[in-house]
Amino acid sequence: EGEFVKIRSTSSDPQLILSSTVRFNNYLLSFILPIFLTLLTTLIINNINFVEIHAVKDVTTKKPSATKNITALDGLRGFAALLVLADHTGHPYFRGLGAIGVWIFFCLSGFLLSIPFVKKPSLIVSSSYLQHYMMRRIKRIVPMYYFVLTILYFFRGNLESFFRHIIFIQGDGIYWSVPQEMFFYMILPVIFILNYFVCRGNVKYMLVSTLVMTLLLNHYISTNWLSMYGNGRRLPLVPEVFMMGIVLSYFYHSPYSSLITNRLKLLHDVCGIMILSIVLLSSDGFLDRVFNMGINYSWNSEIFVYVAALLLFFSISHENSILNKLMSSFPLRAVGIVGFSFYLIHGGVLSSIKAIFMNLTGQELTPIAKLVTGIMITYFFSVITYGLIERPFMQKTIIKKKG
């Protein structure tokens, strides 16, 4: 009937055997579309004054609230976001990289949020600063997260699931990480209060106590103790990944770091390249095919908590190391600035690309083409949401503090 075939069956177990291809695939378009989008993006770039776009301007002018701007950390956030997107393209050699990318996000959060309390421990007993800390965290996460959840609700219409997501007790799909972040924001003051009163400002004791807590949580925590709900099952909370970032912050800002940082550049180059190689070669597909380690190895292995921490450390341990220069590069920092928006919307972008391309050509994009197309389109929309949603709320917090 028209472009469709209607088949009626009177049997209880119908079978259909096709003697030829029902729908012919346009393989040429699989390569033409990504090239076209690349050329279109180049044309747009050449005709737009990017200096006036907030997401681009902030790459070079952003000023953090607690300390000097360590440019490599913006790039590391961008690198983590790209790992997550690559995982979701469906390429077997990218599968599992997203988990490591999220670990990097968590470790980075722990490092950055702990800096004010590491440099000035007495802030933890300042009610005004704690109030500012919580308001800043809420404005950083809630506006963009609620915007994405609202869009999803219009498409899915599941009010019960929507409500559980907005109160951070459920996280489905890629959104499982947001309740993890909010949980850590709440327990971070508790960690530093314990350190402040028990260790009495002794950096060495605070470093050791935090490291011990991290090791214990990483090896012994289970869903029987702490858990959240997502993807149809109980998910473990992972405060130990964030706390590894706190350990690094204590060490990086302590007198002991001078024994390692900005010394022996060759050593930092070698270690940085080794850690980066471990991350890139630790996909489940690669490990499964080369070493027969099975599926979801990177997700279940506790060792990748330490790998993420080492990647963070060697990204900033020497200002002229290869890894530091790579993470300080403009493209990675540009993605890192809009990293939260990039993370939240990349799943919807990839799904839309898949659906649209399937309807146009009758086939799926290759994973590499999906990766390139996904990065460009996700970044485009991330720049918009960063400028309209994320940045205005963050700027209000900074202006209020200065006032």
Side-chain angles (χ1 to χ4, degrees):
E1 297 182 5
E3 296 182 354
F4 303 93
V5 177
K6 181 181 290 186
I7 300 174
R8 293 184 177 89
S9 175
T10 57
S11 64
S12 59
D13 186 20
Q15 294 184 356
L16 183 65
I17 301 176
L18 302 177
S19 59
S20 62
T21 303
V22 175
R23 188 172 186 176
F24 292 95
N25 295 326
N26 187 347
Y27 292 102
L28 187 60
L29 201 55
S30 300
F31 301 97
I32 292 178
L33 186 59
I35 294 173
F36 170 75
L37 288 174
T38 303
L39 293 175
L40 180 62
T41 303
T42 304
L43 181 64
I44 293 173
I45 289 174
N46 290 334
N47 290 277
I48 290 181
N49 184 7
F50 275 89
V51 177
E52 299 303 319
I53 298 177
H54 292 308
V56 178
K57 186 189 299 184
D58 286 354
V59 175
T60 55
T61 62
K62 187 190 75 168
K63 294 181 180 179
S65 60
T67 184
K68 67 176 183 178
N69 188 32
I70 306 175
T71 57
L73 296 184
D74 287 331
L76 185 61
R77 186 183 297 108
F79 176 70
L82 293 176
L83 288 180
V84 176
L85 186 145
D87 186 342
H88 296 149
T89 61
H91 196 292
Y93 286 106
F94 294 156
R95 192 179 68 246
L97 293 180
I100 304 175
V102 174
W103 269 200
I104 295 172
F105 275 130
F106 289 171
C107 193
L108 190 57
S109 289
F111 181 88
L112 291 171
L113 295 180
S114 62
I115 290 176
F117 304 109
V118 168
K119 298 180 74 172
K120 190 177 180 181
S122 61
L123 285 177
I124 199 62
V125 293
S126 169
S127 59
S128 61
Y129 187 83
L130 288 179
Q131 182 181 3
H132 168 73
Y133 159 79
M134 287 305 303
M135 288 303 300
R136 187 172 174 82
R137 291 300 90 209
I138 290 172
K139 290 182 178 182
R140 181 70 182 89
I141 295 293
V142 168
M144 184 61 198
Y145 183 55
Y146 279 13
F147 170 75
V148 173
L149 289 180
T150 303
I151 297 297
L152 289 175
Y153 172 70
F154 285 136
F155 280 97
R156 298 175 181 175
N158 190 332
L159 183 60
E160 183 180 351
S161 175
F162 173 75
F163 180 74
R164 289 198 297 263
H165 276 77
I166 65 173
I167 60 174
F168 304 103
I169 63 173
Q170 180 175 336
D172 291 331
I174 61 173
Y175 308 112
W176 72 270
S177 64
V178 180
Q180 301 272 359
E181 287 271 1
M182 294 302 293
F183 176 76
F184 174 71
Y185 295 163
M186 291 188 292
I187 68 168
L188 182 140
V190 177
I191 295 170
F192 280 97
I193 286 174
L194 290 174
N195 275 342
Y196 180 75
F197 286 105
V198 175
C199 300
R200 295 293 180 179
N202 188 305
V203 176
K204 181 169 64 175
Y205 291 159
M206 288 190 287
L207 175 60
V208 172
S209 66
T210 308
L211 180 59
V212 170
M213 283 190 290
T214 303
L215 294 174
L216 291 175
L217 287 171
N218 190 35
H219 289 280
Y220 297 108
I221 195 170
S222 72
T223 54
N224 294 326
W225 295 7
L226 294 170
S227 66
M228 54 167 281
Y229 181 79
N231 302 321
R233 60 190 176 91
R234 294 177 68 183
L235 298 174
L237 289 166
V238 288
E240 68 274 13
V241 189
F242 296 91
M243 290 178 65
M244 185 56 69
I246 298 178
V247 172
L248 286 179
S249 186
Y250 268 125
F251 179 78
Y252 184 78
H253 295 94
S254 73
Y256 308 110
S257 66
S258 61
L259 301 174
I260 299 178
T261 55
N262 293 319
R263 294 173 180 264
L264 302 173
K265 179 178 179 297
L266 179 61
L267 176 63
H268 286 270
D269 285 340
V270 173
C271 292
I273 293 173
M274 285 179 59
I275 296 299
L276 182 61
S277 300
I278 290 173
V279 169
L280 294 176
L281 297 177
S282 295
S283 69
D284 296 327
F286 180 82
L287 294 173
D288 186 32
R289 295 194 180 195
V290 178
F291 299 107
N292 294 318
M293 287 185 172
I295 299 174
N296 286 334
Y297 174 76
S298 60
W299 174 261
N300 294 321
S301 179
E302 298 164 351
I303 193 173
F304 284 98
V305 176
Y306 308 116
V307 171
L310 287 173
L311 183 67
L312 192 162
F313 177 75
F314 283 107
S315 294
I316 61 175
S317 60
H318 198 292
E319 294 180 354
N320 294 313
S321 70
I322 294 175
L323 186 60
N324 179 272
K325 290 180 178 179
L326 175 64
M327 295 303 169
S328 299
S329 63
F330 187 89
L332 286 181
R333 290 172 59 202
V335 176
I337 290 293
V338 298
F340 187 55
S341 284
F342 194 98
Y343 177 84
L344 289 181
I345 69 176
H346 83 273
V349 169
L350 290 177
S351 297
S352 299
I353 291 173
K354 178 180 178 180
I356 293 171
F357 197 78
M358 178 65 72
N359 288 330
L360 289 176
T361 68
Q363 66 178 40
E364 288 193 31
L365 274 173
T366 63
I368 298 299
K370 191 185 297 183
L371 175 67
V372 175
T373 309
I375 290 173
M376 291 189 296
I377 297 177
T378 303
Y379 181 73
F380 173 78
F381 284 108
S382 298
V383 168
I384 296 174
T385 55
Y386 174 81
L388 296 179
I389 301 174
E390 288 191 74
R391 194 175 189 270
F393 279 94
M394 293 300 295
Q395 288 297 309
K396 287 179 182 178
T397 307
I398 295 174
I399 292 172
K400 185 177 180 179
K401 182 185 176 184
K402 288 181 179 179

